[in-house]
Amino acid sequence: MGRGKRGLIATAVTVVCAITVLAAPGTAFASPSPSPTPTPSASPAPAPSKDLEAVREKLDKLYRAAARATDEYNAAEEKADKQSAEIVELAKKIVKGQERLDELKTRAGAAAASQYRGGGLPPEAHLMLSDDPQEFLEGVGRVRQGQHATKGLLGELTRTQQDLKQYAKDASAQWKKLEAGRKAKAAAQKKIEKQIAQAEKVESQLRKEEQKRLAELEKEAADKAQTAWLGSGILDDISGKATEQGKKAVAYATAQIGKPYQWGAEGPKTYDCSGLTSQAWISAGRGIPRTSQEQWKRLRHIDVRDMRPGDLIIYFDDASHVAMYVGDGAIVHAPRPGRTVTIAGAGSMPILGVVRPDAEAGSD
């Protein structure tokens, strides 16, 4: 194996081995220092509902920001996976190209050695010096064949060198994109951890009674929104039946009920919102975009009144949340950190629109 080949293969192997995906580390929190035991008269009174409502709105804002950052993280991860695969393929092409180039150089060297053994004279000169007419005629054909072969060899050498140069250029470009994606992913991770840490800090400062009341306020807000949505008569018009793929996707999603939310997770033990919906449809034999924003951009839009079980409902103006419609005005989704995959009202959050993933997108 030549020095150039060993160097290029080593480079290709290094490129392949250098492709790594950042792990999503958990956020650690220091245990609070012990505080003096308060006297009964010093116990703080529960916060008024008005103050808790403000807390609920603040938490909602923080978790929404975390959801947006999670979409950024997931998008960066998806791009990194794609770029990593492209770099691996380019590395393989570089190795094969170098092997072909070495082979062509060996053939060219053999041709040069043959000419040297012939006294350094080109085949045409030997032909002209021949005294045998028959040998002359046969030699004409061989010379033409030799000229054609030499021209083809030189052309292939040139093309192979050009291909290798382009592969290296493409690999370098993909590597730069991968590095940029890694930085975007790390920045998104910091955003997520910051928002969740702030939300958890707010919740940790509440007493148990207040935390219970806060959960009740969250439910009341969701119920109010769902009641208003149903009150519009929307459910009277929704009668679509799930396709076979849709049924499989719904079965997968509902089987995950009770599993914890974890940003960036795609199962099987934890999920984020788009991780749940994308994996549900993969289980049904249909690959869809990883993030809620890309699901909104790239899947077919359906009128809310035409939706059927298996369709995905995209929420909020920034498409930062997604759930799967399961019928009867309900959804299954992974809500946010600190919650589990659950059934909820389809109208419990502001609906941006509905998209249809399955292959039978045009059928009713």
Side-chain angles (χ1 to χ4, degrees):
M1 185 181 292
R3 182 181 304 172
K5 181 179 178 183
R6 285 199 300 271
L8 204 43
I9 292 176
T11 300
V13 171
T14 301
V15 168
V16 174
C17 292
I19 299 168
T20 58
V21 180
L22 288 174
T27 305
F29 299 96
S31 299
S33 56
S35 56
T37 303
T39 61
S41 60
S43 298
S49 293
K50 182 178 180 181
D51 293 341
L52 280 177
E53 179 61 25
V55 170
R56 186 191 69 78
E57 292 176 357
K58 182 176 182 179
L59 287 172
D60 184 63
K61 183 178 180 181
L62 289 170
Y63 283 124
R64 284 280 314 286
R68 287 192 292 272
T70 297
D71 238 27
E72 293 174 15
Y73 178 92
N74 290 335
E77 186 172 53
E78 190 175 33
K79 287 180 181 178
D81 289 344
K82 181 179 179 181
Q83 287 155 1
S84 296
E86 289 176 356
I87 290 174
V88 169
E89 289 305 311
L90 286 168
K92 291 177 181 177
K93 288 181 179 180
I94 288 172
V95 172
K96 289 182 179 179
Q98 185 61 59
E99 290 174 347
R100 180 59 177 159
L101 187 62
D102 289 346
E103 178 189 343
L104 292 170
K105 286 182 177 179
T106 299
R107 287 170 53 189
S114 176
Q115 182 173 331
Y116 176 78
R117 286 194 297 272
L121 293 175
E124 294 89 338
H126 286 287
L127 181 62
M128 295 303 296
L129 293 174
S130 174
D131 294 328
D132 187 338
Q134 183 62 35
E135 181 182 348
F136 178 84
L137 292 174
E138 293 174 353
V140 170
R142 288 197 299 272
V143 167
R144 287 177 178 172
Q145 290 176 359
Q147 289 174 335
H148 181 74
T150 300
K151 184 177 179 181
L153 177 62
L154 293 175
E156 191 170 356
L157 266 169
T158 301
R159 288 192 300 274
T160 301
Q161 288 173 327
Q162 291 173 342
D163 287 345
L164 280 171
K165 184 177 180 180
Q166 185 62 49
Y167 294 154
K169 184 178 178 181
D170 292 345
S172 177
Q174 288 300 328
W175 186 260
K176 288 179 181 178
K177 289 180 181 179
L178 184 63
E179 184 65 13
R182 184 193 66 78
K183 292 179 180 178
K185 184 177 171 183
Q189 180 176 330
K190 287 182 179 179
K191 287 182 187 178
I192 297 166
E193 292 174 342
K194 179 181 178 181
Q195 300 298 335
I196 293 177
Q198 288 179 349
E200 290 178 339
K201 182 178 179 181
V202 170
E203 289 186 289
S204 69
Q205 292 171 344
L206 298 175
R207 298 173 60 188
K208 287 185 178 180
E209 308 94 277
E210 293 172 333
Q211 291 178 357
K212 183 178 179 181
R213 178 56 184 152
L214 179 64
E216 291 173 353
L217 287 175
E218 289 179 352
K219 186 176 184 303
E220 288 172 6
D223 289 346
K224 183 179 180 181
Q226 175 72 353
T227 299
W229 185 69
L230 293 176
S232 67
I234 187 71
L235 204 57
D236 296 336
D237 298 323
I238 300 175
S239 58
K241 303 297 181 182
T243 61
E244 287 305 310
Q245 276 192 315
K247 290 177 182 177
K248 290 179 181 178
V250 169
Y252 179 96
T254 52
Q256 312 313 310
I257 290 174
K259 293 184 178 181
Y261 177 102
Q262 171 64 50
W263 61 266
E266 300 175 84
K269 295 182 178 179
T270 58
Y271 296 87
D272 63 21
C273 67
S274 56
L276 176 65
T277 55
S278 60
Q279 288 301 308
W281 272 100
I282 286 175
S283 76
R286 184 74 167 174
I288 65 173
R290 169 64 177 88
T291 69
S292 58
Q293 292 178 346
E294 285 302 305
Q295 288 170 4
W296 174 242
K297 288 179 183 177
R298 293 162 55 186
L299 297 179
R300 181 184 175 187
H301 289 204
I302 300 296
D303 189 277
V304 175
R305 296 177 184 275
D306 295 328
M307 69 179 174
R308 62 193 183 198
D311 287 345
L312 306 182
I313 303 180
I314 310 296
Y315 292 96
F316 305 109
D317 290 341
D318 55 6
S320 58
H321 190 69
V322 60
M324 180 176 291
Y325 185 64
V326 296
D328 296 326
I331 56 170
V332 59
H333 71 144
R336 66 166 177 82
R339 299 290 186 264
T340 60
V341 176
T342 189
I343 295 290
S348 58
M349 296 169 285
I351 295 175
L352 176 62
V354 179
V355 293
R356 179 162 293 168
D358 63 279
E360 301 174 57
S363 60
D364 293 323

